[in-house]
Each structure stands twice: as C-alpha cells, then as structure tokens.
C-alpha cells in the first residue's frame, strides 16, 4: 500500500467532510468548500490530504489564523 500526501483540492471536499463526520464534527461538502475559500486564499494556510487507493484517507490543515466566524 502506498500513501500519497498532496495538497487538497476543491474536489476533495466531499471526502474530507465524510472524514470529519467520522470524528464527530458534523460537516457537509459545502461546509468544507466554504472553509477552503479562506484556507486556499490565506498565504500561511496549508490543507493536505493522505490518499490511499484513490480515496482520501486523512487530512491535515494548518492556518496561521482562525477562520472568520460565520
């Protein structure tokens, strides 16, 4: 098994939302896509995914500041 770590893309939103739900954080693909708009545009942010057998198996995010409140 080979795990590939890469930058997340908007196409990963649905799978990342599923992972967040498994951890108890109610999320939908539109929720994740909304967060992406902040994270992808922020110069100090990074969103990475671990991909296994063509599926997102994990994700990691680092952002220098908290996302804006809804």
């Amino acid at each position: 098994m080979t795990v590939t770590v890469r930058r997340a893309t908007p196409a990963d939103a649905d799978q990342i939302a599923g992972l967040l739900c498994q951890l108890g954080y109610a999320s939908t693909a539109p929720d994740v896509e909304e967060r992406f708009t902040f994270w992808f545009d922020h110069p100090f942010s990074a969103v990475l995914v671990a991909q296994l057998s063509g599926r997102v198996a994990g994700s990691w995010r680092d952002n220098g500041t908290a996302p804006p409140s809804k």
Side-chain angles (χ1 to χ4, degrees), residues 17-66:
L19 292 171
L20 290 170
C21 286
Q22 287 180 26
L23 294 172
Y25 302 103
S27 295
T28 64
D31 293 335
V32 174
E33 290 169 356
E34 182 179 337
R35 293 178 192 138
F36 279 171
T37 62
F38 173 78
W39 296 331
F40 288 170
D41 291 341
H42 193 278
F44 300 111
S45 290
V47 182
L48 304 177
V49 295
Q51 191 169 20
L52 178 65
S53 300
R55 302 269 312 152
V56 174
S59 65
W60 176 84
R61 169 189 58 89
D62 183 25
N63 61 324
T65 60

